[in-house]
Amino acid sequence: MKESLAYFNHWLSFYYEKKDLFLKDPFIQEKLELLKKAIEKSRQAFIEKGSFAFCSACAKSGEKCCKAGLEWKLSPAEFLINLLLAEIYGLTVVFNTSRQEDCLFLGEKGCSLILTPVFCRNFFCDKLAKHLGHANLTYIQQAMEEEATLGFIVANYITTKLLQKEGTKHGA
C-alpha cells in the first residue's frame, strides 16, 4: 500500500500543479460533460438492476472483490480524470489507508473513484453474474459502453497531448 500511496500522491501533486491546464482545455471540458452523462447512465443501470445493492450486501458479509493491488489497474490519465470530475462535483478522491487488504480506492461506501478503471467496470463475479442473469448483465454492459469509450478518449488525449507533452509518460 505504501508504494501505491506514494505513486498516486505523486499524481495528485502533478494534478494540482497542472490543474488549470486541464480545466481550461476545451477538448477536456467538452468531453467531461459528455462523460458525466455517460457515467450517470452506467450508474443508473447498476442501481436499476440491483448490482450496487448486491455488492454492498456481499461486502457487509465480509466478502470483497476490491482487494489490495487493484489500484494499479488505474492509469495516471484515469486518475487525473477522476480528480477533474471530483473537482467539478465538489468531491474528494479519498485514499483508503486503514484497510491494507483492500484497494486503495475502496471506501466505506464502495469505490471512491467516479470513473472506475475498465477492469473494475467489467468485473462481475460469478455470484453477481448469476444473481443478475444474462439479460440484466447484458443491459448493464451495454449501458457502460459510452462511459468506456469516452473514458478512453479523454484518457488517451490526456496521455498523448498533455502528459507526453510535459515529458511525463505513464510513470512517476
Side-chain angles (χ1 to χ4, degrees):
M1 175 178 283
K2 203 177 200 181
E3 210 176 288
S4 58
L5 191 56
Y7 179 79
F8 285 103
N9 272 322
H10 161 79
W11 286 109
L12 186 62
S13 296
F14 178 84
Y15 171 75
Y16 285 116
E17 287 173 27
K18 307 293 182 186
K19 180 168 73 169
D20 289 340
L21 179 69
F22 292 118
L23 291 171
K24 291 178 182 173
D25 186 289
F27 182 85
I28 291 175
Q29 286 179 339
E30 175 193 339
K31 296 301 181 196
L32 282 182
E33 284 305 311
L34 296 172
L35 184 57
K36 283 171 30 184
K37 292 174 185 162
I39 290 169
E40 183 54 32
K41 179 181 175 185
S42 297
R43 287 184 188 276
Q44 285 305 111
F46 276 95
I47 291 167
E48 181 184 322
K49 299 303 176 185
S51 177
F52 284 160
F54 183 89
C55 292
S56 177
C58 197
K60 285 177 184 166
S61 76
E63 206 170 325
K64 295 180 205 165
C65 296
C66 307
K67 306 271 187 214
L70 284 178
E71 61 270 10
W72 294 108
K73 300 290 184 187
L74 187 70
S75 73
E78 289 172 317
F79 182 59
L80 295 168
I81 292 169
N82 273 283
L83 295 173
L84 286 164
L85 289 168
E87 182 112 7
I88 290 167
Y89 287 119
L91 302 171
T92 306
V93 174
V94 179
F95 296 137
N96 159 34
T97 57
S98 61
R99 295 175 318 280
Q100 295 203 7
E101 69 278 4
D102 293 343
C103 174
L104 185 65
F105 299 107
L106 183 61
E108 291 300 319
K109 295 182 180 180
C111 187
S112 67
L113 298 171
I114 299 165
L115 175 70
T116 55
V118 172
F119 175 85
C120 299
R121 281 192 301 260
N122 289 329
F123 180 77
F124 295 89
C125 74
D126 291 340
K127 288 179 187 177
L128 177 59
K130 185 177 179 182
H131 171 76
L132 291 172
H134 180 72
N136 288 334
L137 187 56
T138 302
Y139 177 82
I140 290 171
Q141 289 172 324
Q142 288 174 342
M144 291 189 307
E145 281 184 39
E146 190 177 5
E147 176 186 348
T149 301
L150 286 165
F152 174 78
I153 290 169
V154 177
N156 188 56
Y157 178 84
I158 287 173
T159 300
T160 58
K161 302 288 189 228
L162 302 174
L163 296 183
Q164 289 178 359
K165 182 180 175 182
E166 293 292 326
T168 19
K169 296 192 180 181
H170 285 282

